[in-house]
Structure formats: structure tokens, C-alpha cells
Amino acid sequence: MPSREGALTRAATFFDTGGFKALLTDLVAIPSTAQEEGREADLDRYLNGAIRPWLERLGFDVQVRPNPLEGFGPILTATRVEDAARPTVLLYGHGDTVRGLEDQWRAGLTPWVLTEEDGLWYGRGTADNKGQHALNIAALEAVLAERGGKLGFNVKVVLEMAEERGSKGLRDFVAAHADELKADVLIASDGPRVEPEVPTIATGTRGTFHFDLVIKLRPGGVHSGHWGGLTRDPAIILAHALTSMMDRNGRVLVRGILPPTMPNSVRSVLAGCPVGGGGDAATIDEGWGEPGLTSAEKIYGWNSLIVLSMISGRPENPVNAVAPDARAHCQIRYTVDSDPATFGKAIRDHLDAHGFPEVEMQTSFMRMSASRTDPDHPWVRWAQASMAKSLGKKVQIIPNASGGLPGDVFVDHLGVPLVWVPHSYNGCKQHGPDEHLLIAPAREGILAFAGMWWDLGEAGTP
């Protein structure tokens, strides 16, 4: 007789006997980067050549449509409806990646070839996001096989190819196809667990607000010997402006870009939440950031200000001149408890009040908006219980992931609660060289989804 345990065994067998590794090898081999020109055919090949045949074999009606915005990658939708009276789940993913950065990978590794070493699968897209959505679809296939070609629920899929460019066009696309994509819940995977060993559910993501701080004092550089000590140095002024915005220990001093408070529901769910797994490239520096908050509260429940880059003069070829200008590109990672529409005025007022009228704020924009579902939502707690049953361990809920995802698009136009189940970890190097997927959490991921897919076909769903 078909059983839940049978479905999990099928998923585990596929993973343990090399089936999933072979699948991921083929997906990684498609250089579907959205950040390099000339890869348009690879973006299409990922959807039409790899994903579409797979989903059609599983009984989905699949369409690949152009992005509503010219110059951005296509979008795949797929539907598999068995019974309109049963729950409908929306599965999201993205098949585009960041740049390959081939020349920066360490010896023996290359971005478009899957390489296994010491419990890791290296390759561009293994963690972000090919490996993650492939695990979920493979788990679905295991449940279909166990139930003899039936699921007992309905599935819809959205797979985009422009997430690494800010999901441009996705909002317009979902708005135009809202009736087609109507669902009861979004259950999907991207981003990191709170720690590699801790299964995690995120109910939203922080948003990203970008802006430049610019000071331009003169048309060109002037001789440092003749003018140094007499004329203003834009780099120094900009550095002081930045330190007026954040103190030596990382406390944000522009209080208008922070949430007025942290909701009790957020504090409650983050009580005791671990944070880690950054690998050699990152550390948790005690005392850095907002005083009085735990590490989990700082990245899952609060806002952060980061200087992503800054420049004055020509660092690659310095000359003996006082530079004419300086620029810093900054980012605010923010939760839904803040209004990004107020950030610009708060920063301008702060700079003026602290004596920096010559520092201009330019090119501000939101790359992704924040989103959040209540951590106690019935679908969230249902997923937590299902995953705990499958994995035999505690499942940590966080109110939003630390990074950005287009969850707001699905909340705004479909009204679905968000259940993000990440299969990666903070040290996966997803936007740099040597990107990799940890094999052990990936195995737990396919089991967790096999269990949820099975339970969706049973009674007791929200």
C-alpha cells in the first residue's frame, strides 16, 4: 500500500544512489547567468530544454512566456490540477544565476561543472537556486510514484530567469496572470538555513533599498603638494558623513531608517534562534550592530545599513592630487516594520542636521521589497509539523530571511501566505566564486518536501 514512509524512501533512494547528483550536474552545466550578455539562449535552454520536459513528464501543463520587460529572461509557469476542492500550492524558483566569475574559482573548480569534495557539491547555481528548486520537484516526483500517478492536491509552478537582476518583470507578470496562478499557499526554497544543521522555515524576507552618497567639490583634481592642507578633501568629508550615520560599533544613528519597534511575535519566534554557518569568510562580531538585540534579531528582525562600495580618486593608479569627488554606494536591508518611502527624507535630514549639506543622496531605489507572513499562520505551523515528522528534529521558524526574495509579489497579487524552506547555509558563497551546496542539508531538504507533498494529499491541511 502507498505510504508516507514509502514516499520518503523513494526520495532518499533517488538521492543516495546518485540520481539527484546526476540531475543537478545537468542543470549546472547550463550557463544560465542573467548577469552576462550573450546568455539569452542559455536562459531559454534552462527552461525549455531542462525544466519543461521534466514537468511535462510529471503531468504539468507548461508554458514559457517572454518577460513583460524587454531585455529580461523568460518566465515558466506550470499547472497540475487534480481536484479544485483540494489545496493548491504555488512552487517558486529561479533558474538564472549570478556571473560565473570563472577566473576567481580556486584550482580544480569551475562554475559550470559540478564537482564533489568533502560533502559539498561545487558549481554555479547549486545553492542559488537550481539545487533548491530541483530538490522540491524531485520530491514531488517521488510522491507521484508512490501514489501511482496521483498527488491528492494541486500544484502550480513559477520559475523565473531574472531574479539575479532584481526579479524585473515578475510583478507585472504575476499581476497579469493572477487568476491562472491563484493558490492557497506558496511553499518554495531559496536562501540559507539559520545554521547548516537546523531545518528552517522563513515566513518572509527583508527588502533592499540602495542609494549613493556623493560629494563633488571641483571639476578635477588639484596638486596635492600645492593644495593639500588648503582645499577640502571629499574623501575625508564623505568618511565623516558616513560615521555620522553609523558609530564605531555598527549602531545605526539615522534612527529614521529603523523600525519603530520589533513586534512581540517576531521576538517570540526568534527566542533561542541560532545563527551561524558563515564559513571562513564571515564572523559574528559580538558588540557590532544594534545594542540589546540578539544575533538572530539583528538579521531576521531588524534593519541594517551597509556600505557596499566607496571610491575617491583612482585606487588602481593613484596620482598626487586632492581628488575632486567621492562616492559611496550604500544599502539598507529592511523589514516590513519600516516604510522605505521615508528613508530618503530621513537620510537627507540627518546629513543636513550634522553639517553635511554638500553630500548629496543620489540614485536611490528599491531592489526588492520586504515581505512577511505571521510566523503563527496555520500554513506555517502545518509545514513545521510536517518537516519535524519527516526529519525527526526541531524546525526553526524565522519571521523573514536575512536576504531578499520577491515574496511581496505573491502576497500583493495572489494573497498567499509564504512558507520558504531553505536548503542552503550562510557560507555557501552563492554570489562569489566556489559556490556550493552542502550534501547533508540537501538530503534533508528532499525528505522534508517529500513529507510535505505527501501530507498535502491527506486530510488535515489548513
Side-chain angles (χ1 to χ4, degrees):
M1 291 290 292
S3 68
R4 190 181 197 276
E5 186 59 34
L8 268 67
T9 298
R10 287 179 183 271
T13 299
F14 178 70
F15 192 94
D16 295 340
T17 58
F20 184 78
K21 180 182 178 182
L23 168 65
L24 187 56
T25 297
D26 291 341
L27 297 181
V28 168
I30 302 173
S32 53
T33 170
Q35 296 183 345
E36 295 177 0
E37 294 184 3
R39 297 293 193 183
E40 292 79 10
D42 293 312
L43 298 178
D44 183 77
R45 181 157 65 99
Y46 187 84
L47 295 184
N48 279 308
I51 302 300
R52 181 175 196 151
W54 187 13
L55 291 177
E56 288 179 338
R57 179 164 54 82
L58 300 184
F60 283 84
D61 177 22
V62 183
Q63 296 189 63
V64 176
R65 302 182 176 101
N67 194 301
L69 298 183
E70 187 176 351
F72 293 90
I75 300 173
L76 176 147
T77 60
T79 58
R80 191 183 191 283
V81 177
E82 288 185 3
D83 182 353
R86 295 294 300 156
T88 298
V89 175
L90 182 64
L91 181 62
Y92 163 85
H94 66 91
D96 66 310
T97 72
V98 297
R99 296 174 180 85
L101 305 176
E102 286 89 339
D103 60 330
Q104 298 181 32
W105 289 56
R106 69 169 172 80
L109 300 178
T110 183
W112 312 116
V113 176
L114 189 77
T115 303
E116 181 175 342
E117 288 184 9
D118 301 324
L120 309 176
W121 282 326
Y122 287 92
R124 180 62 82 219
T126 51
D128 188 19
N129 171 260
K130 295 178 180 182
Q132 301 217 36
H133 63 254
L135 282 167
N136 300 346
I137 300 172
L140 190 74
E141 186 168 13
V143 172
L144 266 171
E146 181 67 13
R147 277 207 167 109
K150 296 291 184 181
L151 288 174
F153 64 99
N154 313 304
V155 186
K156 297 178 181 180
V157 178
V158 173
L159 195 61
E160 65 161 319
M161 301 301 287
E163 195 273 347
E164 300 296 359
R165 297 177 67 189
S167 290
K168 298 295 186 183
L170 182 64
R171 174 171 288 275
D172 291 344
F173 183 90
V174 172
H177 299 91
D179 290 340
E180 172 190 338
L181 298 174
K182 184 179 179 181
D184 297 298
V185 60
L186 181 143
I187 303 179
S189 299
D190 205 338
R193 292 174 164 194
V194 295
E195 285 187 332
E197 303 81 12
V198 180
T200 302
I201 295 173
T203 65
T205 54
R206 291 198 293 182
T208 52
F209 180 90
H210 292 248
F211 61 96
D212 287 339
L213 293 181
V214 180
I215 175 169
K216 186 173 179 63
L217 299 181
R218 58 188 68 90
V222 294
H223 194 283
S224 60
H226 303 327
W227 294 98
L230 296 178
T231 191
R232 291 181 296 167
D233 188 329
I236 297 298
I237 296 173
L238 181 58
H240 280 276
L242 289 168
T243 56
S244 81
M245 298 172 68
M246 177 179 285
D247 73 12
R248 173 63 178 79
N249 295 311
R251 180 177 184 262
V252 175
L253 302 177
V254 189
R255 306 306 283 180
I257 65 173
L258 297 176
T261 187
M262 185 181 298
N264 289 333
S265 61
V266 172
R267 286 191 182 275
S268 176
V269 78
L270 291 178
C273 175
V275 177
D280 296 336
T283 60
I284 297 175
D285 297 316
E286 295 300 328
W288 182 265
E290 184 68 18
L293 300 185
T294 66
S295 294
E297 289 171 342
K298 289 175 184 176
I299 65 168
Y300 302 134
W302 202 245
N303 295 3
S304 59
L305 172 64
I306 308 99
V307 178
L308 297 183
S309 65
M310 58 189 302
I311 188 171
S312 184
R314 294 294 182 91
E316 75 281 3
N317 186 24
V319 296
N320 290 322
V322 181
D325 52 37
R327 176 182 296 266
H329 185 78
C330 305
Q331 180 192 71
I332 300 170
R333 293 273 182 174
Y334 72 95
T335 72
V336 295
D337 307 304
S338 304
D339 181 1
T342 66
F343 290 168
K345 184 177 186 304
I347 293 168
R348 181 70 267 159
D349 289 348
H350 174 92
L351 292 172
D352 290 344
H354 287 77
F356 299 104
E358 67 272 60
V359 177
E360 298 181 18
M361 182 177 176
Q362 298 180 358
T363 59
S364 62
F365 64 95
M366 278 196 302
R367 188 174 184 271
M368 284 187 171
S369 298
S371 60
R372 184 193 295 153
T373 293
D374 189 317
D376 286 328
H377 192 283
W379 272 111
V380 176
R381 294 299 182 176
W382 173 89
Q384 182 187 39
S386 174
M387 289 174 61
K389 182 178 180 180
S390 298
L391 303 179
K393 58 167 65 174
K394 176 186 175 181
V395 177
Q396 177 69 52
I397 296 175
I398 54 177
N400 44 256
S402 49
L405 283 169
D408 61 295
V409 171
F410 303 106
V411 172
D412 292 348
H413 291 293
L414 304 180
V416 290
L418 304 174
V419 180
W420 297 104
V421 183
H423 302 318
S424 187
Y425 79 117
N426 282 324
C428 70
K429 301 183 179 180
Q430 65 191 76
H431 283 181
D434 303 348
E435 178 183 346
H436 57 270
L437 183 68
L438 278 172
I439 296 176
R443 188 181 189 277
E444 287 190 339
I446 198 171
L447 293 177
F449 266 81
M452 282 193 288
W453 295 147
W454 179 271
D455 293 342
L456 277 161
E458 302 288 288
T461 55

